[in-house]
Amino acid sequence: MELRDLYEEVILDHNRNPRNYPYRPPGANHHAHGFNPLCGDEFQVHVKVDDAGIIEDVGFEGAGCAISTASASMMTEAVKGKTVKEAERLFHAVQDVLTDESAEPSDETLGKLKVLTGVKEFPMRVKCATLAWHTLNAALHDQEGTVTTE
Ligand code: ZN
């Protein structure tokens, strides 16, 4: 299947049926609020990190366009069960592959998230795709206030 077709299929699926949404895990201990003024996407990300530094549970609330919602949904699936360090690595990998023209997606790191690179065909929407990841990163760092994609 072409990346483009796969991209559309995955985005549609996750947008129709977002995982871990609207969801605030019981005992969530890290939170952040993210906003993409270009599109109006707005999410709260809630993360429960255990004593060993493992992301036990994660969910998001709020509203956004199809791409931002699908990306947030995929983000929650991708980081659940991972360590905070691994989640940070994934955030940087996604960020790099979506914002750096020359970055080559590494299948090994990105796994299923590779499909997100389809958004590069629509440069206006890249910030929609990265919003949930910025918000996750802010939550893990206990950043106060609202994270914006600007
Ligand atoms: Zn958007």
Side-chain angles (χ1 to χ4, degrees):
M1 198 186 272
E2 297 268 335
L3 175 64
R4 193 195 182 108
D5 298 330
L6 184 63
Y7 167 78
E8 283 176 8
E9 190 179 297
V10 171
I11 298 289
L12 282 177
D13 172 48
H14 277 268
N15 182 50
R16 215 177 283 137
N17 180 24
R19 324 301 197 256
N20 306 300
Y21 171 86
Y23 177 58
R24 185 184 179 117
N29 46 10
H30 298 271
H31 311 267
H33 176 233
F35 180 53
N36 172 18
L38 276 186
C39 182
D41 312 312
E42 191 163 12
F43 295 123
Q44 289 89 45
V45 170
H46 308 288
V47 194
K48 184 180 183 197
V49 178
D50 72 11
D51 294 339
I54 292 167
I55 297 175
E56 211 174 280
D57 209 356
V58 52
F60 70 108
E61 300 174 298
C65 68
I67 291 169
S68 64
T69 304
S71 180
S73 169
M74 292 172 76
M75 178 278 285
T76 62
E77 280 196 321
V79 303
K80 206 174 200 171
K82 289 210 161 51
T83 65
V84 168
K85 281 256 173 314
E86 287 168 335
E88 282 170 358
R89 250 197 307 266
L90 212 44
F91 159 67
H92 290 295
V94 168
Q95 166 84 342
D96 284 353
V97 83
L98 291 182
T99 58
D100 179 353
E101 274 304 310
S102 61
E104 284 292 326
S106 133
D107 290 357
E108 217 179 306
T109 320
L110 290 176
K112 277 199 227 166
L113 298 168
K114 192 183 170 194
V115 74
L116 282 175
T117 58
V119 80
K120 288 175 92 166
E121 280 191 47
F122 315 97
M124 293 290 291
R125 314 307 297 278
V126 165
K127 285 177 175 164
C128 302
T130 56
L131 175 64
W133 291 91
H134 281 289
T135 313
L136 169 75
N137 193 52
L140 294 175
H141 290 97
D142 296 318
Q143 228 164 283
E144 301 278 331
T146 299
V147 204
T148 77
T149 49
E150 289 308 293

